[in-house]
């Protein structure tokens, strides 16, 4: 015996001894329940050790252990608040005095009383924890054994259906089963008890039969009449009522089948075999009608698009293949029922099931070919539409479709070599999965059409976020069905659901669907109240105050941040999350925030500072890092500026706090405009000053106090430079005022004969011989100049060229 096994036995014994000691403190009823659990656990351990029980016995044992586990799980979570209160009371009394030290009698009595109460509440929890862990381990071992058996059975190789030796025996078994069924019916028909029952129940049987036949015959007509009535309510052209009519077309005939089945059961002429078959008829009828509904939806979709994707003949082929697939599923269920009733050998089971597998695979292959032809016709195989539609989720769905087709087609090959269980485990779930995917697509399209009808978005609803989220939710809801199709046991799904409901422990915080939904609901309510409060402040209260728009925006934004913070805090508290544990998680995340999110945090803090100090406000004209425009929005991370080119510039808030920002309209809109102008040398400067002052004073946007001024700025290289400096009522009109003044300056200077000079440049050539040739060089050598450069050309001598080109 290994050391690990010895330690395991010692630990088990220790737990049993501890549980026995603690159980002495339980009530009689609790002790009896715990004793029953111990006996059940020991029996389960023995059964698991021998591993000889049947699948049904294991499932029954698992259900029994699970019921105990659920009880222990409930008990271990009880009295949590009371236990915390008692522990806090004991802690408030301080540490217990050591040896040789005395304690006040009242405090000692209170400490003893609190410890006794704590023990009474803690003992059931300790026992439940131990029992829960034991039950959980037993369930896991049972599941492991059952899964191993299922895997072994799935990969088991049996007789090949292609072996001719098995065919006569298979045909003989089929005839015997049919003969036995017919003999049972004939025997019951000759029975006096059955005849007497037919006489007494004759009117009811006749009524049910007539009603069932009427529902089958008139179901289509009634559904169309119901559709005409619904269309009169509105929504024509959205496809909503067509979907409802299609549901009625399968619901009404199915009700008729139920009436007929009930009438046959009242006759009681079928016998044991016939009764078992009759029980399955409603399910088979539902499967056939369900697949027929899918085929009809394919027809309606292609008819609505003008048969763009599939032609009418291809739609007919598709509907026929879909209907035949439903028939194949029914025949497979009939073969399974035949095996259960007659206890046929494996060879007969393989021979009878093989033709259905082959036919199902051929139907899948035909559907795949029709789909490929429809894609080529609809233009979704190549080109831009393929690139657009083949990405993301659509590509995944298409991959799953092709994989399912391939699995179905590969099934006959497995059956040929004797792997009949594996073949059936592939082909029939593939068919059911394809039907489920088609149904999900149809339901998504219907609900999207309803959304488009209610919101008046029409066909645009298909591209909305609602359609995407709806598809995601439908896919999640379909996961349990898919798991059942592909061999998952109901007990396993129930186990997964139980674990989900128990929650997950993340950093000491237990997150379960219940507290998560509580958190989401409370936070949604708080968020909605915050938004309503913001709307009331923005539209009703703040406009009546004297606050500027920037201040109003700051108050509204601050209210939003505060409200969201309080909503999150209240939601966390209501959901029961431990804030101390969350603080540990937040402390761990702070390291990542400090390194990876420091820029975002810096912008967030800067945004808060902007809202509090308000160096800039919404509507201000600012210039930051060469970007000039109006502030349109200040958020916690960035500020949006609309430039004069009507483009939006997003500037991080940290740049506005740490950088240099020019605010032209902070506090008021009064600002100065400067209009420069130059006149030719020789012009009367006082006359120019008078004209410019008159122009400035005449403009309506220029303030009289302080009065505008004219400055003789400098003697320029080409002109005498003046500036008009004026204070405007609204600096936002600076460009328009400057343009008006320039127009008026040009007009007055023309009237007064004042010249606005062109820029002039003198060009000096270092080597004049390069232009005049040898003669010019000789002349330059004979007659050198001493006071002037060798040659001088003006701008006009160079055909309008400028000195900047040299």
């Amino acid at each position: 015996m290994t050391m690990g096994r010895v330690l395991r036995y010692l630990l088990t014994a220790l737990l049993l001894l501890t549980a026995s000691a603690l159980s002495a403190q339980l009530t009689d009823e609790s002790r009896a329940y715990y004793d029953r659990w111990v006996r059940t656990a020991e029996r389960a351990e023995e059964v698991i050790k021998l591993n000889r029980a049947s699948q049904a016995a294991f499932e029954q044992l698992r259900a029994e252990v699970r019921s105990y586990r659920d009880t222990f799980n409930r008990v271990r979570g009880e009295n949590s608040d009371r236990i915390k209160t008692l522990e806090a009371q004991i802690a408030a009394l301080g540490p217990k005095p050591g040896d040789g030290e005395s304690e006040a009698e009242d405090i000692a009595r209170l400490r003893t009383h609190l410890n006794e109460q704590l023990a009474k509440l803690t003992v059931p929890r300790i026992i439940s924890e131990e029992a829960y862990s034991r039950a959980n381990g037993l369930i896991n071992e049972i599941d492991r054994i059952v899964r191993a058996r299922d895997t072994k059975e799935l990969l088991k190789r049996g007789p090949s259906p292609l072996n001719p030796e098995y065919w006569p025996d298979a045909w003989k078994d089929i005839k015997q089963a049919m003969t036995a069924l017919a003999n049972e019916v004939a025997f019951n028909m000759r029975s006096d008890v059955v005849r007497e029952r037919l006489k007494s129940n004759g009117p009811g049987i006749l009524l049910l039969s007539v009603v069932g036949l009427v529902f089958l015959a008139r179901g289509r007509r009634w559904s169309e009449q119901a559709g005409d009535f619904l269309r009169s309510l509105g929504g024509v052209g959205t496809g909503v009522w067509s979907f409802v009519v299609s549901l009625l077309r399968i619901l009404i005939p199915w009700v008729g089948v139920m009436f007929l089945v009930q009438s046959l059961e009242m006759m009681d002429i079928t016998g044991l075999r016939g009764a078992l078959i009759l029980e399955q008829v409603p399910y088979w009828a539902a499967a056939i009608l369900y697949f027929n509904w899918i085929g009809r939806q394919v027809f309606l979709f292609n008819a609505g698009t003008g048969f763009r994707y599939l032609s009418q003949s291809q739609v007919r082929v598709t509907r026929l293949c879909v209907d035949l697939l439903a028939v194949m599923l029914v025949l497979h269920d009939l073969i399974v029922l035949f095996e259960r009733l007659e206890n046929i050998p494996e060879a007969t089971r393989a021979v009878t099931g093989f033709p259905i597998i082959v036919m199902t695979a051929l139907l899948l292959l035909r559907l795949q070919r029709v789909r490929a032809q429809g894609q080529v016709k609809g233009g979704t195989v190549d080109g831009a539409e393929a690139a657009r539609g083949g990405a993301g989720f659509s590509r995944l769905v298409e991959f799953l479709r092709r994989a399912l087709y391939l699995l179905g087609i590969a099934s006959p090959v497995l059956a040929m070599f004797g792997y009949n269980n594996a073949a059936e485990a592939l082909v029939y779930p593939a068919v059911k999965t394809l039907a489920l995917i088609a149904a999900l697509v149809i339901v998504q399209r219907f609900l999207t059409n309803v959304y488009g009808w209610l919101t008046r978005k029409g066909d645009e609803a298909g591209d909305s976020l609602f359609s995407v989220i709806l598809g995601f939710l439908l896919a999640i809801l379909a996961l349990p069905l898919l798991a059942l199709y592909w061999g998952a046991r109901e007990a396993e799904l129930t186990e997964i659901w139980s674990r989900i409901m128990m929650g997950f422990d993340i950093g000491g915080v237990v997150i379960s669907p219940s507290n998560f939904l509580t958190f989401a609901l409370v936070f949604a309510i708080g968020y909605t109240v915050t938004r309503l409060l913001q709307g009331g402040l923005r539209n009703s209260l703040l406009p009546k105050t004297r606050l500027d728009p920037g201040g109003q925006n700051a108050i509204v934004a601050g209210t939003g941040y505060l409200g969201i913070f309080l909503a999150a805090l209240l939601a966390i508290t209501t959901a029961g999350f431990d804030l101390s544990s969350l603080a540990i998680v937040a402390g761990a995340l702070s390291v990542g925030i400090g390194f990876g999110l420091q820029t975002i945090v810096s912008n967030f803090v800067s945004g808060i500072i902007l809202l509090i100090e308000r160096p800039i406000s919404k509507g201000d004209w600012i210039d930051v890092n060469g970007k000039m425009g109006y502030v349109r929005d200040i958020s916690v991370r960035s500020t949006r500026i609309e430039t004069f080119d009507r483009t939006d510039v997003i500037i991080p808030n940290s740049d506005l706090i740490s950088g240099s920002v020019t605010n032209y309209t902070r506090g008021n809109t009064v600002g100065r405009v400067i209009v420069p102008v130059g006149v030719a040398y020789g012009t009367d400067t006082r006359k120019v000053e008078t004209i410019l002052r008159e122009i400035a004073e005449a403009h309506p946007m220029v303030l009289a106090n302080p009065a505008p001024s004219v400055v003789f700025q400098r003697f320029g290289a080409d002109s005498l430079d003046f500036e008009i400096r004026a204070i405007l009522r609204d600096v936002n009109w600076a460009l328009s005022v400057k343009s008006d003044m320039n127009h008026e300056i040009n007009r007055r200077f023309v009237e007064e004969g004042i010249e606005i000079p062109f820029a002039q440049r003198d060009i000096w050539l270092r080597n004049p011989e390069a232009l005049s040739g040898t003669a010019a060089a000789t002349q330059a050598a004979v007659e050198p100049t001493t006071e002037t450069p060798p040659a001088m050309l003006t701008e006009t001598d160079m055909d309008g060229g400028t000195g900047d080109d040299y």
Side-chain angles (χ1 to χ4, degrees), residues 250-574:
I250 65 174
L251 180 61
I252 296 177
W254 186 78
V255 174
V257 172
M258 292 296 296
F259 279 119
L260 292 177
V261 169
Q262 186 64 29
S263 66
L264 290 175
E265 290 179 351
M266 291 180 63
M267 294 180 184
D268 196 17
I269 61 174
T270 55
L272 177 61
R273 292 178 175 84
L276 293 176
I277 293 175
L278 201 60
E279 288 179 359
Q280 301 299 318
V281 169
Y283 303 102
W284 295 341
I288 293 175
L289 292 172
Y290 167 60
F291 276 72
N292 182 266
W293 173 73
I294 293 176
R296 177 168 174 77
Q297 290 299 314
V298 173
F299 169 77
L300 292 176
F301 173 74
N302 284 275
T305 59
F307 295 98
R308 175 186 174 188
Y309 299 100
L310 296 177
S311 62
Q312 296 189 29
S313 60
Q314 291 173 336
V315 171
R316 286 195 295 269
V317 172
T318 301
R319 296 188 66 179
L320 178 61
C321 291
V322 171
D323 290 340
L324 289 177
L325 284 175
V327 175
M328 295 301 107
L329 291 178
V330 172
L331 291 178
H332 168 65
D333 287 346
L334 188 60
I335 293 297
V336 173
L337 185 60
F338 169 55
E339 178 185 17
R340 189 176 67 180
L341 290 175
E342 304 298 334
N343 195 20
I344 57 177
E346 292 185 6
T348 301
R349 178 68 174 81
V351 171
T352 54
F354 182 70
I356 304 176
I357 295 176
V358 174
M359 188 62 185
T360 304
L362 292 176
L363 291 172
L364 289 176
L365 179 61
R366 181 57 177 159
L367 278 177
Q368 174 63 13
R369 290 182 177 178
V370 172
R371 177 174 176 79
Q373 294 171 359
Q375 287 180 333
V376 173
K377 176 184 177 183
T380 59
V381 173
D382 50 10
E385 191 170 352
R388 181 174 62 251
F393 183 73
S394 299
R395 180 176 297 178
L396 177 62
V397 171
E398 185 62 26
F399 171 78
L400 291 177
R401 281 196 180 116
R402 294 184 179 182
L404 292 173
Y405 283 126
L406 292 176
L407 288 177
I409 295 171
S411 300
V413 179
L414 293 174
M416 290 178 186
F417 291 97
Y419 295 99
N420 299 283
N421 295 334
E424 292 182 353
L426 290 179
V427 64
Y428 300 119
V431 173
K432 295 177 182 178
T433 302
L434 289 172
L436 180 60
I437 292 176
L440 292 178
V441 173
I442 293 169
V443 172
Q444 181 190 20
R445 185 184 302 125
F446 164 69
L447 295 178
T448 302
N449 290 335
V450 173
Y451 173 75
W453 173 37
L454 296 177
T455 59
R456 303 185 183 277
K457 290 184 177 181
D459 296 336
E460 296 179 359
D463 299 327
S464 63
L465 180 62
F466 172 83
S467 179
V468 177
I469 296 177
L470 178 63
F472 179 74
L473 293 178
L474 290 176
I476 292 178
L477 294 177
L479 289 179
L481 283 178
L482 289 175
L484 292 175
Y485 288 163
W486 291 96
R489 297 161 34 235
E490 293 184 7
E492 291 179 327
L493 297 181
T494 306
E495 179 70 15
I496 294 174
W497 178 251
S498 299
R499 292 184 181 276
I500 293 175
M501 294 303 294
M502 290 178 189
F504 304 94
D505 191 347
I506 301 177
V509 179
V510 178
I511 300 178
S512 64
S514 59
N515 56 25
F516 177 77
L517 291 177
T518 302
F519 171 82
L521 179 61
V522 174
F523 181 77
I525 295 175
Y527 182 82
T528 303
V529 172
T530 300
R531 292 307 183 196
L532 292 175
L533 179 60
Q534 283 184 294
L537 292 175
R538 182 185 299 109
N539 301 322
S540 301
L541 181 60
L542 293 179
K544 298 178 181 179
T545 63
R546 297 182 179 181
L547 290 175
D548 58 276
Q552 297 179 16
N553 180 70
I555 292 177
V556 172
T559 302
Y561 301 144
L562 180 61
I564 292 175
F565 173 76
L566 294 178
L569 184 62
L570 181 61
I572 292 173
T573 305
T574 306

Side-chain angles (χ1 to χ4, degrees), residues 623-702:
D623 184 357
V624 52
N625 296 332
K627 302 295 183 181
M628 182 182 295
Y630 293 104
V631 177
R632 295 307 185 194
D633 183 48
I634 302 176
S635 63
V636 292
R637 191 195 69 84
S638 61
T639 297
R640 181 170 61 90
I641 295 177
E642 181 183 352
T643 67
F644 300 120
D645 297 331
R646 293 297 187 267
T647 58
D648 285 344
V649 178
I650 307 300
I651 300 178
N653 288 332
S654 58
D655 292 351
L656 298 174
I657 295 298
S658 60
S660 177
V661 180
T662 302
N663 194 333
Y664 293 97
T665 58
R666 178 59 181 162
N668 56 72
T669 58
V670 175
R672 188 174 68 174
V673 64
I674 299 176
V675 182
V677 63
V679 298
Y681 277 91
T683 306
D684 185 356
T685 57
R686 293 299 181 180
K687 182 178 181 181
V688 173
E689 182 180 2
T690 302
I691 293 174
L692 294 180
R693 182 177 289 107
E694 292 175 355
I695 292 173
E697 293 175 349
H699 199 283
M701 289 296 295
V702 176

